[in-house]
Amino acid sequence: MDQGFIPPHGAYEGLYSYKKSMIIFKATYFLAEKWVRLGSRTRDQMEQSARSCKQNIVEGSLASATSKQTEIHLTNVARASIAELHEDFKDFLLLRNLPIWDRKAPRMLTIRALGTNLATYENYQPYIESNDPEIVGNVMICLCSQTGFLLDQQIRKLEQAFLQDGGIRERMTRARIDVREQHQATEKAPICPLCGKPMQQRTASQGAYAGKPFWGCTAYPECRG
C-alpha cells in the first residue's frame, strides 16, 4: 500500500456541513446577543449548540485518521446539536406567537434557494440581521434544517465507508498482509540472468502473450532481463 494505512483526513473545511455550520455559528451568537436576555440558560444553550455542531464536525474529521467509529460518533453529536438548536428557534417563534413558514411558502423558498450555492453569512445577512423576529426565526429554522440534512447524508456515507473498508485496524491488517506478500514474492523471485538482481512477476500488456504473467528484472528499463 503505497499511500500507507492512515486514510486522508482533516479536510473539514471542504465539507458543506461545516460551511453551513459556520454560518449558523456566527448567526446564533449575533442573534442570541440581540434577542435573548444576557445570562439566561436559553442563550447559553443556543450558543453551545451552535458551537458544538461546528466543533464536532471538525473533531470528527480529524479523528477519522485513526478511528472511523469516533468520526461517526462525533458527526452524530453534531447532528444532535443542530437538532437542539432547530428546536430553540422554533421556540423563538412560538413564544412570540409567530408562524413557522411552510417549506413551500414563497418566502421560505427564497431562503432555501440560497442554500443551493456555496452561500456565506453575507448571503443570509439581510434575513439574519432583520428587525422582524418572524424573518429571523424562519431563516434560522431553514439553515438548521439544511445543515441537519447535510449531516444525515454525511453520516450515511460514513457508515457505508466503514462497512466497505472497515476502520484503522482493518487497514493496518491489510497493509501488513500486503507487505508480507511482497516480501514472500521477493524471496521466491528468480535472479536476473543478465545483471543478477531479483526479478518480479509482471503481466504482459501487449503482443502474443498479452495478459499472461512473466518474470522481469527489477532494474528495468536499464536491464531487460
Side-chain angles (χ1 to χ4, degrees), residues 16-36:
Y16 288 146
S17 60
Y18 173 77
K19 293 176 181 179
K20 193 75 75 173
S21 73
M22 275 295 297
I23 298 172
I24 292 174
F25 175 73
K26 291 177 66 177
T28 300
Y29 272 73
F30 173 83
L31 294 173
E33 182 177 1
K34 181 176 180 179
W35 294 95
V36 185

Side-chain angles (χ1 to χ4, degrees), residues 67-176:
S67 177
K68 284 295 178 185
Q69 296 96 318
T70 300
E71 182 182 18
I72 293 171
H73 168 70
L74 291 172
T75 307
N76 269 296
V77 173
R79 179 65 181 91
S81 295
I82 206 64
E84 183 178 351
L85 189 61
H86 182 269
E87 192 67 19
D88 281 329
F89 281 110
K90 287 169 65 177
D91 291 343
F92 175 86
L93 294 172
L94 176 67
L95 294 173
R96 289 168 174 79
N97 294 315
L98 296 171
I100 297 174
W101 299 341
D102 184 84
R103 64 189 305 272
K104 293 185 178 181
R107 289 185 294 182
M108 184 61 85
L109 288 174
T110 299
I111 294 172
R112 287 175 59 193
L114 295 175
T116 59
N117 301 317
L118 294 179
T120 63
Y121 179 86
E122 287 69 28
N123 295 115
Y124 292 94
Q125 191 169 7
Y127 303 96
I128 293 169
E129 299 185 9
S130 169
N131 290 320
D132 185 343
E134 183 177 343
I135 294 175
V136 169
N138 278 285
V139 69
M140 294 307 297
I141 284 174
C142 179
L143 280 166
C144 289
S145 294
Q146 289 178 337
T147 305
F149 174 77
L150 290 170
L151 286 168
D152 285 339
Q153 288 188 315
Q154 192 170 324
I155 290 166
R156 283 194 293 270
K157 288 181 180 179
L158 289 172
E159 290 172 343
Q160 292 169 3
F162 180 76
L163 291 174
Q164 180 176 343
D165 302 323
I168 189 67
R169 292 181 181 177
E170 289 83 358
R171 292 179 65 90
M172 290 173 69
T173 299
R174 287 197 297 269
R176 183 57 187 154

Side-chain angles (χ1 to χ4, degrees), residues 202-214:
R202 297 192 175 101
T203 302
S205 59
Q206 57 187 354
Y209 298 100
K212 294 184 178 181
F214 69 95

